[in-house]
């Protein structure tokens, strides 16, 4: 049975309402009972809860002594999409593996990753060779025929961004017109060439975990589509810019580990996605050198 743990605090509830609207309150109210039922089904004891914008991630101990992760979302399509991508990558060592699902309940049971530290916390010590291998693995799998095109992912991201930007503090620096120009750039890239692969869709250092000496970098939380794999590189090549480096420093870090690296397309994606990198910092009133550098891509 689930341990005595508040599976959804008020802050997490507020994030879900912001993301899905007031109607999600019913799901939030029913979540503890759902967790109890799934914990009994899969032999889990819930020991921790992680924040998220599209659901709840619970760290569990299994009856077999292994750590497992129970992911739950009120949007069944998110669970279905994530499970489909992870199953397409079944056997890929650089991707978290699915143990079981109950998609009608928006639930996915995943293997635990130990120690599970986000590469977001690695600072300048990114294991670039492992990241390169991760990208090679996920982009080498034949895309399922029923996956949506990358264009759909782009439309969704910019629709969400526009909703967040309109009337926000960030709009004083980043206009809706600038966001729309970037959206058109991204749509042109998504529909204008590049080889087809399964695109993770949210492959930033917060969604890659350290699997320890025997496993290395492991990707989680895909938002999959089919399209240009260069889309998945933008968060990585811009990392050195956060510490005062340049985009070229990012290229130099990843290119030796990624045969076929297309600097032109990656650079174009960085420019198209630049507004999405700076919205949250601008909302917090941050004008760092990184924010200014990304804003320069927008004009």
């Amino acid at each position: 049975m689930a341990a005595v743990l508040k599976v959804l605090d008020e802050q997490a509830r507020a994030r879900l309402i912001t993301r899905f609207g007031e109607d999600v309150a019913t799901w939030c109210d029913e979540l503890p009972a759902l967790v109890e039922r799934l914990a009994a089904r899969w032999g889990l004891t819930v020991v921790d809860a992680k924040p998220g914008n599209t659901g709840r991630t619970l760290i569990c101990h299994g009856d077999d002594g292994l750590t497992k992760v129970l992911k739950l979302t009120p949007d069944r399509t998110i669970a279905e999409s994530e499970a489909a991508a992870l199953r397409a990558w079944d056997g890929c060592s650089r991707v978290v593996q699915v143990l079981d699902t109950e998609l009608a309940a928006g639930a996915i049971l995943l293997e635990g990753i130990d120690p599970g530290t986000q590469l977001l916390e690695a600072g300048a010590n990114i294991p670039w060779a492992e990241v390169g291998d991760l990208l090679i693995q996920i982009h080498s799998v034949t895309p399922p025929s029923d996956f949506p095109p990358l264009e759909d992912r782009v439309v969704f991201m910019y629709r969400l961004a526009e909703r967040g930007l309109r009337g926000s503090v960030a709009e004083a620096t980043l206009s809706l017109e600038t966001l729309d120009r970037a959206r058109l750039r991204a749509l042109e890239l998504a529909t204008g060439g590049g080889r087809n692969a399964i695109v993770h869709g949210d492959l930033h250092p917060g969604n890659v975990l350290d699997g320890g000496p025997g496993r290395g970098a492991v990707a989680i939380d895909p938002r999959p589509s089919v399209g240009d794999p260069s889309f998945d590189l933008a968060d990585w090549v811009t990392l050195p810019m956060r510490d005062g480096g340049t985009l070229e420093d990012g290229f130099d870090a990843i290119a030796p580990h990624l045969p076929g690296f297309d600097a032109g397309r990656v650079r174009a994606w960085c420019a198209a996605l630049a507004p999405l990198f700076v919205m949250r910092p601008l909302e917090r009133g941050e004008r760092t050198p990184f924010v200014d550098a990304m804003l320069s891509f927008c004009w």
Side-chain angles (χ1 to χ4, degrees):
M1 297 295 287
V4 178
L5 178 85
K6 194 167 186 177
V7 297
L8 190 70
D9 57 31
E10 290 305 313
Q11 187 176 22
R13 184 187 183 99
R15 280 198 302 270
L16 290 173
I17 290 173
T18 297
R19 173 66 171 79
F20 293 109
E22 291 291 340
D23 289 346
V24 81
T26 299
W27 182 85
C28 293
D29 293 339
E30 295 173 351
L31 183 60
L34 175 61
V35 171
E36 286 289 340
R37 181 175 67 78
L38 292 174
R41 173 185 172 183
W42 286 324
L44 307 173
T45 298
V46 180
V47 296
D48 197 8
K50 299 294 184 183
N53 294 321
T54 59
R56 202 62 168 150
T57 299
L58 304 176
I59 309 302
C60 307
H61 290 162
D63 287 349
D64 56 6
L66 299 177
T67 299
K68 299 175 184 180
V69 176
L70 176 59
K71 293 195 65 178
L72 301 134
T73 175
D75 187 340
R76 175 176 171 175
T77 61
I78 290 176
E80 291 173 340
S81 175
E82 178 172 346
L86 295 178
R87 282 180 165 148
W89 291 320
D90 182 52
C92 292
S93 64
R94 299 292 184 196
V95 181
V96 69
Q97 300 293 291
V98 176
L99 301 178
D100 207 344
T101 63
E102 190 174 310
L103 297 179
I108 304 175
L109 185 65
L110 302 170
E111 64 168 333
I113 304 298
D114 184 31
T117 308
Q118 295 175 322
L119 290 198
L120 186 66
E121 301 175 27
N125 299 314
I126 294 293
W128 290 104
E130 294 177 12
V131 173
D133 186 52
L134 189 165
L135 289 160
I136 290 170
Q137 284 196 23
I138 66 174
H139 294 154
S140 297
V141 171
T142 301
S145 60
D146 58 346
F147 271 29
L150 179 56
E151 178 183 2
D152 288 3
R153 174 66 179 162
V154 167
V155 168
F156 171 80
M157 290 170 62
Y158 278 90
R159 183 182 298 130
L160 204 61
E162 180 181 348
R163 191 176 79 187
L165 180 62
R166 191 179 297 276
S168 74
V169 173
E171 193 178 356
T173 304
L174 181 69
S175 69
L176 290 167
E177 291 76 14
T178 300
L179 184 68
D180 192 53
R181 286 199 303 272
R183 177 183 63 84
L184 293 175
R185 287 179 181 176
L187 285 172
E188 183 177 357
L189 285 166
T191 58
R195 70 182 181 88
N196 271 358
I198 303 178
V199 177
H200 180 287
D202 200 20
L203 194 66
H204 54 77
N207 277 343
V208 178
L209 307 182
D210 177 10
R215 185 80 175 270
V218 179
I220 61 171
D221 293 355
R223 296 291 180 264
S225 60
V226 174
D228 182 5
S230 294
F231 177 93
D232 279 337
L233 273 73
D235 280 279
W236 298 94
V237 297
T238 55
L239 276 180
M241 297 172 65
R242 299 178 185 272
D243 295 317
T246 66
L247 192 61
E248 282 66 30
D249 292 330
F251 289 177
D252 290 344
I254 193 65
H257 310 292
L258 204 59
F261 177 78
D262 188 334
R265 289 195 70 84
V266 175
R267 185 183 301 275
W269 274 115
C270 290
L273 298 172
L276 308 188
F277 282 96
V278 301
M279 277 183 56
R280 288 186 180 177
L282 289 174
E283 288 169 1
R284 296 190 295 264
E286 298 174 6
R287 284 300 296 265
T288 63
F290 171 76
V291 169
D292 287 338
M294 295 307 294
L295 283 172
S296 71
F297 285 136
C298 298
W299 315 133

